[in-house]
């Protein structure tokens, strides 16, 4: 029986995309693609999610790519521009779900930037507890961060549904005994929950 629902945040409840910032920095699409594909890459950003200080990340990359020194600095100086806001249709499910389930967050996010997002979006208060990778210096899909969540809040994996948009994180959770939902692009989360037998009732407007 599922008693707890564990949410990833980016791509599930929060729209985040570096292109929201850099589309106005680079006029040439090819250069934008080069910058995000070869300099401020996903792998580079993941190291901050795993606890590397932002100042260290920026300085190291600027040393490696002095031509893009200013653009690299913008990645965190203008970080909030990358936030597209809450994914409203998914956020709307949180309060109805709380009627029958305990809600938790398990997110790969920098310890320095997550508090900014937390203060921006009141829906984070719906969660009974949140484990942030940057604070733990562990990131999904490392099984240890899932175990931190279970231990900290006294949860059993077999009683938890874990929702994430990243397939490798889903595979790690499945291996630990979680029920899982891989939320892919343009898939309706409410419909997917219904198919799993998750009970909730949206308020009528």
């Amino acid at each position: 029986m599922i008693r707890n629902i564990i949410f990833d945040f980016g791509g599930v409840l929060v729209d985040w995309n570096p292109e929201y910032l850099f589309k106005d920095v680079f006029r040439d699409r090819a250069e934008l693609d080069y910058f995000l594909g070869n300099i401020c890459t996903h792998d580079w950003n993941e190291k901050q999610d795993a606890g590397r200080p932002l100042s260290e990340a920026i300085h190291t990359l600027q040393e490696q790519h002095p031509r893009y020194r200013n653009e690299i600095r913008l990645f965190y100086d203008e970080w909030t521009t990358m936030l597209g806001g809450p994914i409203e249709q998914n956020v709307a499910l949180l309060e109805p779900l709380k009627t029958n389930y305990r809600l938790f967050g398990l997110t790969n996010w920098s310890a320095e930037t997550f508090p900014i997002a937390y203060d921006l979006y009141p829906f984070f208060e719906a969660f009974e507890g949140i484990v942030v990778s940057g604070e733990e210096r562990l990131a999904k899909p490392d099984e240890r961060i899932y175990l931190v969540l279970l231990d900290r809040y006294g949860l059993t994996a077999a009683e938890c549904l874990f929702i994430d948009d990243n397939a490798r994180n889903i595979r790690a959770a499945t291996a630990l005994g979680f029920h899982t939902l891989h939320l892919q692009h343009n898939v309706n989360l409410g419909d997917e929950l219904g198919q799993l037998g998750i009970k909730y009732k949206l308020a009528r407007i």
Side-chain angles (χ1 to χ4, degrees), residues 34-69:
Y34 174 82
F35 180 78
L36 294 180
N38 296 278
I39 299 175
C40 286
T41 65
H42 179 73
D43 289 345
W44 171 77
N45 188 57
E46 280 191 335
K47 291 182 173 61
Q48 286 74 269
D49 289 348
R52 180 168 65 176
L54 302 187
S55 58
E56 177 185 326
I58 294 295
H59 176 73
T60 300
L61 206 58
Q62 287 176 327
E63 290 291 306
Q64 295 171 354
H65 303 279
R67 174 185 171 188
Y68 290 103
R69 184 177 187 87

Side-chain angles (χ1 to χ4, degrees), residues 1-197:
M1 179 181 293
I2 295 173
R3 302 179 185 275
N4 318 291
I5 302 180
I6 318 300
F7 283 85
D8 172 47
F9 293 153
V12 176
L13 297 177
V14 177
D15 180 16
W16 179 85
N17 191 330
E19 288 195 16
Y20 295 153
L21 168 61
F22 288 106
K23 65 181 176 59
D24 294 324
V25 174
F26 296 104
R27 295 183 179 181
D28 180 65
R29 178 71 205 194
E31 189 173 18
L32 167 61
D33 291 341
Y34 174 82
F35 180 78
L36 294 180
N38 296 278
I39 299 175
C40 286
T41 65
H42 179 73
D43 289 345
W44 171 77
N45 188 57
E46 280 191 335
K47 291 182 173 61
Q48 286 74 269
D49 289 348
R52 180 168 65 176
L54 302 187
S55 58
E56 177 185 326
I58 294 295
H59 176 73
T60 300
L61 206 58
Q62 287 176 327
E63 290 291 306
Q64 295 171 354
H65 303 279
R67 174 185 171 188
Y68 290 103
R69 184 177 187 87
N70 292 333
E71 290 83 358
I72 292 167
R73 176 180 49 78
L74 288 175
F75 197 96
Y76 289 114
D77 282 0
E78 301 294 335
W79 177 81
T80 55
T81 306
M82 301 184 205
L83 293 171
I87 302 174
E88 296 291 356
Q89 67 176 6
N90 295 347
V91 169
L93 300 171
L94 296 178
E95 289 300 327
L97 287 170
K98 283 182 67 176
T99 302
N100 297 308
Y101 306 94
R102 299 170 69 190
L103 304 186
F104 298 90
L106 179 59
T107 183
N108 280 1
W109 208 310
S110 162
E112 294 174 72
T113 57
F114 180 71
I116 299 170
Y118 189 94
D119 288 342
L120 283 174
Y121 305 132
F123 74 79
F124 283 120
E125 296 180 3
F127 293 94
E128 185 174 332
I130 298 172
V131 172
V132 178
S133 63
E135 296 175 358
E136 307 301 327
R137 304 187 71 83
L138 293 169
K140 297 175 291 183
D142 189 323
E143 71 171 24
R144 292 176 294 173
I145 195 167
Y146 300 85
L147 299 177
V148 167
L149 173 79
L150 296 177
D151 181 66
R152 183 167 298 165
Y153 299 108
L155 307 178
T156 301
E159 295 180 346
C160 296
L161 172 64
F162 174 67
I163 303 169
D164 200 301
D165 65 328
N166 187 309
R168 66 178 185 173
N169 298 340
I170 289 292
R171 289 193 294 270
T174 300
L176 289 169
F178 287 79
H179 301 270
T180 58
L181 193 167
H182 181 201
L183 185 64
Q184 301 184 60
H185 186 61
N186 288 331
V187 171
N188 185 289
L189 177 58
D191 290 346
E192 294 291 301
L193 291 173
Q195 291 178 23
L196 292 173

